């Protein structure tokens, strides 16, 4: 199987990848907030962690990764990303698929989405 994965750092890049897909898989990557960096499993607690990246896939063998708050490298503009993410999550036309929707939902809720 041929695969195509890439890093995207603009909302337009996310939109270009998703296109008119009606089913989109997504996953948050998280890291503990600085005060909790030494606490085991803090990265899984929405009250102690933040989203550092998000991946999207519309078809097997393809996907994009969006760095949001990496300490090294280029990140997407956070405000633009969260505006996009809010619209994506409330879009009733797109079916969202997540590995652990309870976790993604709690992280989104903690961000006010």
């Amino acid at each position: 199987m041929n695969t195509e994965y890439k890093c995207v750092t603009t909302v337009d890049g996310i939109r270009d990848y998703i296109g008119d897909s009606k089913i989109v898989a997504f996953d948050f990557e998280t890291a503990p907030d600085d005060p909790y960096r030494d606490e085991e499993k803090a990265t899984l607690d929405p009250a102690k962690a933040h989203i550092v990246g998000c991946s999207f896939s519309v078809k097997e063998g393809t996907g994009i990764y969006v760095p949001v708050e990496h300490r090294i490298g280029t990140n997407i503009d956070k405000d633009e990303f969260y505006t996009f993410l809010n619209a994506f999550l409330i879009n009733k036309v797109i079916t969202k698929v997540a590995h652990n929707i309870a976790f993604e939902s709690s992280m989104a809720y903690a961000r006010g989405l």
Side-chain angles (χ1 to χ4, degrees):
M1 169 178 30
N2 291 334
T3 59
E4 185 178 337
Y5 301 103
K6 61 183 178 177
C7 183
V8 172
T9 56
T10 66
V11 169
D12 285 343
I14 300 170
R15 287 190 182 112
D16 288 346
Y17 173 74
I18 291 175
D20 61 357
S21 298
K22 300 298 181 224
I23 301 174
V24 179
F26 76 103
D27 183 49
F28 295 146
E29 298 305 324
T30 59
D33 296 335
D34 284 338
Y36 307 103
R37 288 194 71 76
D38 295 329
E39 187 176 312
E40 188 176 337
K41 298 187 180 182
T43 195
L44 302 175
D45 184 339
K48 297 178 179 179
H50 58 282
I51 298 169
V52 295
C54 185
S55 59
F56 297 92
S57 181
V58 297
K59 154 175 112 166
E60 184 177 354
T62 73
I64 60 171
Y65 179 74
V66 182
V68 178
E69 283 195 60
H70 284 249
R71 291 183 178 198
I72 299 171
T74 303
N75 292 305
I76 194 169
D77 179 276
K78 276 195 312 186
D79 293 335
E80 290 179 16
F81 174 74
Y82 285 115
T83 298
F84 165 82
L85 186 61
N86 186 61
F88 168 77
L89 292 173
I90 65 173
N91 185 331
K92 294 181 181 183
V93 174
I94 299 174
T95 299
K96 285 71 148 186
V97 179
H99 173 71
N100 183 346
I101 195 67
F103 178 71
E104 272 70 28
S105 295
S106 65
M107 288 303 295
Y109 181 79
R111 292 268 328 147
L113 305 175

